[in-house]
Amino acid sequence: MVKTVTRFDREFLTRGVRRGSAPQFMLWLLPWFALLALGIYSAGLCLVKGLNQTNMDNRYAFGLWIFVDLTIIALGAGAFFTGFLLYILKFKELKAVINSAVVIGVVCYSGAMAALMVDVGQPLRAWFTFWYPNVHSMLTEVTFCISCYLTVLLIEYLPILLKNRKLRDVPSFLVFEFELHKLIYVLAGVGTFLSFFHQGSLGGLYGVLRGRPFAFREGIFVWPSTFFLFILSAAAVGPSFLIFTTWLVEKLSGKRLVKDRVFDLLARISGLLLSVYVLAKALDTIIWINRTSPSLGFEASQYYGWQPFGTWILFAEIVGCGLVPAVILLVPRLRARRAWLIPAAMLACAGVALNRYVQTVQTLALPTLSFDKFLSYTPSWQETGTFLGVLAYGVIVYSFSFRYFRLFPEERELKLEVRPEQQEEPVLAGRF
Amino acid sequence: MISENKKTLAARYGMSIDVDRCNGCGSCMVACAVENNVPPANANATDRTGLTWIRVFKVDNGLEGADRRSAFIPLLCQHCGHDAPCVSVCPQQAVDIDPATGVVGQMPERCLGCRYCMTACPYHARYFNWWDPAWPAGMEKTLNPDVAPRMRGVVEKCNFCHGRWHAAKAKTAAEGNTAIDPGDYMPACVEACPTGAIQFGDLNDSSSLVARNARRAESFRLLESIGTDPKIHYRSTKAWVRDTAHPPRPGKENARG
């Protein structure tokens, strides 16, 4: 049995790179499949027995899943933004990570869609949104754009899949892959357009809530400021998440996968966008505190009187997880060292997660009526299980993709390269 | 939908609730549940997962001992006017404002159960069916045949007893009239209130009792500052009761609900 699996596995392995044995790979996957099984069971309970299996309620109508959806879609933005930089702005160095970015995108978006399907009370009515769309609703925009972009991502994923050494033996697959590749610039353009819109409309989701002055923001035309802030923050942390995942895969596989200059370029892009985002977010916060919220009768200071959501959360988001990583990523000497680069990338990702947490969870916890109460919410094990299932699904898809497809084209070249311990690669190559 | 509402409405139904008269008996809640086929609470339901289209909150003036004063505020869908927060957010047009009545309607048959409208509502007047609706054996015979029970996984809320509005409209048409007689259309909660604290009528009709009450100095609406233009007018002669209409104050656990 093991011999058969090993032979089968070898036939599909990427040529020219070294991977662990099939049993090792199966051992790695085992706990993730166990988590996936837990996730499927948890989600199944919610679908069969209803959302009473969760700890959400009439007041906490959104919970862990919406927070996770907003976060992973922001982190998955590396897919569209790297595609945009590579195919539209011609940053050729990013070819080294584009395949990995696409897989991360597929995983994040499909995972979010799966969680959303469990999160709605009537999943079989999902098509209603396409049939009776309310053009005024940000959720309509989100549904349309995410569905379309997931389709684009799956099409972008196909060439990666069809380049597998075994699948290439099928001539029609080869032709199909070649034809698909011609479309890649169009797909990158469409993907960028769709992504900009849905990242924005996810921001607008809470920004338009006049009845929730903590989340409500003024804006331009029909879009609240959070529409633009979400686009900017997603574009800023997408490359950071790519840095983090690439580094993590390097550590776990014990191989160098991309050249240092790619890390450097991603760090510079992330740092620059993050600093613009921090500036915009700070400005938005000042306007919100001094104008938007008071105009609705709510003094902004009241939001931070309800513990544990003190002003620390605002500073943690803007300074600790915004300004600090932005500075590290912008200073060449700091970002050249992994000891600075990786924590900075992780901080940037944590910052976007904190921002989404504040938007979703803190908004619902705060009272709106004077005879209202400050609320707390803890996800049930079924909610947590479903989330862990989505996480496990992501790890499994990425693990298979890393093993059988060429996610990092520079890996083969770097395998042959002997890297002097002391001598560092020049990091100022590339544009920007 | 919002633009439709900005036109002059044929009617603009609303309520005037005298908080000083409300004794918190809960008759309105029971009458509402019976009229609208709101199922009994599931055994596992909490005060945050139960169903009730109208909920009576007890508030107090925050003082202790002999100075302590209490009041009851029946809270239902406020049937916001322009910019109703729940209407524009629904992704599949399951929420609308009827231009003929000004009533904010909810179509459970089209509801996806995404609960975005619940998140948008500052009055927390929307309820989700966390469980399958179930009535104890025999009690299903008491169901109102004019109102369809809702299924698990959809949102529901007060619609000013839509079934009664339909019946009144049918009666009006049968009599060859065009305008509904105010006496023919009255929501169940209004009818059931033993102290007559709740009045209902057309706010566009300036001579109606509800419109006259809404114009009184002691009349107030909840969270007027956010601009939702609610059609539920409360009134009280006590300033501390009227203060409950304002947003919560910083860091204070407010008038207990």
Side-chain angles (χ1 to χ4, degrees):
Chain A
M1 172 69 180
V2 175
K3 276 185 183 174
T4 318
V5 171
T6 306
R7 196 175 343 113
F8 189 74
D9 174 69
R10 274 191 189 154
E11 285 176 11
F12 280 85
L13 279 180
T14 309
R15 194 169 277 138
V17 295
R18 193 177 295 168
R19 294 285 179 264
S21 66
Q24 268 179 329
F25 184 57
M26 284 191 278
L27 208 61
W28 156 255
L29 289 178
L30 201 64
W32 297 110
F33 269 109
L35 265 188
L36 182 65
L38 171 71
I40 292 169
Y41 178 65
S42 305
L45 278 179
C46 295
L47 289 170
V48 174
K49 292 191 171 182
L51 291 174
N52 53 61
Q53 300 293 303
T54 70
N55 276 349
M56 287 187 281
D57 54 56
N58 294 324
R59 294 290 314 280
Y60 247 110
F62 286 168
L64 172 71
W65 295 333
I66 290 288
F67 158 60
V68 168
D69 284 346
L70 261 65
T71 304
I72 63 176
I73 283 182
L75 296 177
F80 94 85
F81 199 61
T82 311
F84 171 68
L85 292 170
L86 172 64
Y87 298 115
I88 313 289
L89 298 187
K90 308 288 181 193
F91 281 76
K92 295 289 179 199
E93 298 90 336
L94 296 179
K95 206 164 181 179
V97 287
I98 186 66
N99 289 352
S100 175
V102 167
V103 176
I104 290 171
V106 169
V107 161
C108 288
Y109 278 80
S110 53
M113 286 288 269
L116 272 177
M117 288 306 282
V118 184
D119 201 358
V120 295
Q122 291 288 334
L124 294 178
R125 293 182 182 178
W127 61 276
F128 281 19
T129 307
F130 297 93
W131 203 251
Y132 312 106
N134 174 9
V135 293
H136 303 290
S137 174
M138 284 288 169
L139 201 52
T140 305
E141 202 171 304
V142 170
T143 311
F144 271 76
C145 289
I146 290 189
S147 315
C148 294
Y149 185 52
L150 180 59
T151 313
V152 169
L153 274 173
L154 290 172
I155 298 171
E156 284 184 346
Y157 185 56
L158 270 180
I160 301 172
L161 191 140
L162 295 174
K163 269 185 188 153
N164 175 274
R165 75 194 261 195
K166 186 74 178 168
L167 296 178
R168 280 170 78 97
D169 290 348
V170 183
S172 54
F173 280 1
L174 211 58
V175 174
F176 185 54
E177 186 264 317
F178 181 73
E179 293 298 324
L180 267 181
H181 207 74
K182 286 185 196 167
L183 279 176
I184 206 76
Y185 294 94
V186 180
L187 291 173
V190 172
T192 303
F193 173 78
L194 290 171
S195 293
F196 268 106
F197 259 90
H198 75 246
Q199 294 287 355
S201 44
L202 279 172
L205 211 63
Y206 276 82
V208 296
L209 300 183
R210 176 169 282 274
R212 299 280 183 174
F214 177 72
F216 181 73
R217 293 292 189 280
E218 293 169 89
I220 303 162
F221 192 41
V222 295
W223 296 294
S225 61
T226 43
F227 183 95
F228 306 99
L229 287 173
F230 265 51
I231 295 174
L232 199 51
S233 58
V237 302
S240 270
F241 190 57
L242 215 46
I243 291 173
F244 171 67
T245 46
T246 308
W247 169 81
L248 192 64
V249 179
E250 280 190 342
K251 285 287 160 201
L252 291 173
S253 63
K255 298 174 183 69
R256 273 187 77 201
L257 301 172
V258 296
K259 292 174 182 167
D260 285 351
R261 64 172 189 208
V262 178
F263 276 115
D264 185 68
L265 179 60
L266 286 170
R268 270 185 290 161
I269 293 167
S270 191
L272 186 72
L273 289 171
L274 201 56
S275 51
V276 176
Y277 167 71
V278 167
L279 196 69
K281 172 75 185 168
L283 193 68
D284 174 70
T285 306
I286 291 168
I287 294 172
W288 168 67
I289 288 174
N290 293 297
R291 199 174 72 185
T292 317
S293 191
S295 73
L296 297 172
F298 284 70
E299 289 303 323
S301 58
Q302 75 185 56
Y303 304 128
Y304 299 101
W306 306 96
Q307 296 305 327
F309 298 124
T311 43
W312 66 268
I313 207 162
L314 197 61
F315 285 101
E317 187 193 332
I318 300 177
V319 180
C321 298
L323 190 62
V324 171
V327 169
I328 296 172
L329 294 172
L330 282 176
V331 176
R333 271 197 308 180
L334 292 180
R335 68 168 180 257
R337 296 178 182 192
R338 290 286 193 276
W340 284 97
L341 175 71
I342 303 306
M346 287 167 74
L347 265 183
C349 296
V352 86
L354 187 59
N355 174 261
R356 277 30 171 189
Y357 177 84
V358 166
Q359 286 276 304
T360 52
V361 177
Q362 193 178 351
T363 298
L364 294 184
L366 296 172
T368 49
L369 293 161
S370 68
F371 46 91
D372 223 358
K373 285 175 182 158
F374 177 79
L375 298 176
S376 62
Y377 149 85
T378 312
S380 67
W381 71 263
Q382 292 92 331
E383 286 175 88
T384 313
T386 305
F387 157 64
L388 291 174
V390 170
L391 178 73
Y393 153 79
V395 173
I396 291 166
V397 171
Y398 194 91
S399 300
F400 270 99
S401 302
F402 178 68
R403 187 170 178 83
Y404 298 114
F405 313 133
R406 187 171 294 163
L407 292 197
F408 299 98
E410 288 178 352
E411 184 186 356
R412 197 156 46 174
E413 185 189 331
L414 287 167
K415 193 183 74 173
L416 305 170
E417 188 182 299
V418 180
R419 193 184 183 194
E421 283 301 315
Q422 302 301 324
Q423 192 187 330
E424 293 219 336
E425 209 180 314
V427 291
L428 297 172
R431 249 161 302 171
F432 219 80
Chain B
M1 279 167 287
I2 291 169
S3 58
E4 282 172 12
N5 192 50
K6 282 179 181 167
K7 295 173 193 168
T8 308
L9 300 170
R12 198 166 63 92
Y13 288 114
M15 279 182 179
S16 174
I17 301 176
D18 188 344
V19 178
D20 295 347
R21 277 196 189 194
C22 179
N23 61 11
C25 69
S27 298
C28 52
M29 296 170 67
V30 176
C32 170
V34 172
E35 171 69 24
N36 293 295
N37 294 337
V38 176
N42 183 282
N44 296 315
T46 65
D47 67 335
R48 281 162 61 174
T49 49
L51 283 174
T52 173
W53 290 7
I54 179 168
R55 181 172 176 179
V56 180
F57 281 83
K58 184 182 181 186
V59 297
D60 64 55
N61 60 356
L63 299 176
E64 299 299 332
D67 296 326
R68 191 185 183 95
R69 296 287 179 271
S70 297
F72 298 95
I73 298 185
L75 190 71
L76 62 160
C77 172
Q78 302 290 298
H79 294 279
C80 301
H82 54 81
D83 283 346
C86 55
V87 176
S88 59
V89 300
C90 177
Q92 37 205 13
Q93 304 190 57
V95 188
D96 66 357
I97 299 181
D98 185 347
T101 59
V103 173
V104 176
Q106 172 78 25
M107 283 172 268
E109 307 79 16
R110 195 183 280 182
C111 179
L112 170 68
C114 69
R115 306 180 302 285
Y116 190 19
C117 55
M118 297 172 73
T119 304
C121 177
Y123 305 105
H124 320 305
R126 302 182 143 267
Y127 297 87
F128 186 72
N129 282 273
W130 299 97
W131 284 271
D132 284 306
W135 284 263
M139 202 173 155
E140 71 280 355
K141 290 174 190 159
T142 66
L143 287 175
N144 181 352
D146 294 333
V147 179
R150 283 70 52 191
M151 53 167 40
R152 188 184 82 198
V154 299
V155 174
E156 61 182 63
K157 64 162 206 81
C158 162
N159 55 21
F160 280 161
C161 292
H162 204 59
R164 291 188 174 210
W165 179 73
H166 271 292
K169 212 169 79 159
K171 184 175 177 238
T172 306
E175 289 169 353
N177 297 325
T178 50
I180 293 175
D181 186 291
D184 288 340
Y185 175 34
M186 185 183 285
C189 56
V190 181
E191 196 175 60
C193 180
T195 61
I198 312 175
Q199 278 116 33
F200 178 79
D202 181 6
L203 290 165
N204 275 351
D205 176 4
S206 58
S207 63
S208 68
L209 181 63
V210 70
R212 278 186 281 129
N213 280 336
R215 287 197 298 271
R216 284 165 67 164
E218 67 266 27
S219 180
F220 63 94
R221 293 184 291 177
L222 298 178
L223 297 178
E224 276 204 86
S225 56
I226 58 174
T228 48
D229 188 23
K231 291 195 263 305
I232 308 295
H233 296 256
Y234 295 87
R235 62 181 198 278
S236 172
T237 53
K238 300 175 185 77
W240 73 264
V241 173
R242 293 197 296 273
D243 277 348
T244 57
H246 301 306
R249 276 166 286 170
K252 183 176 179 294
E253 192 71 52
N254 284 277
R256 268 69 52 175

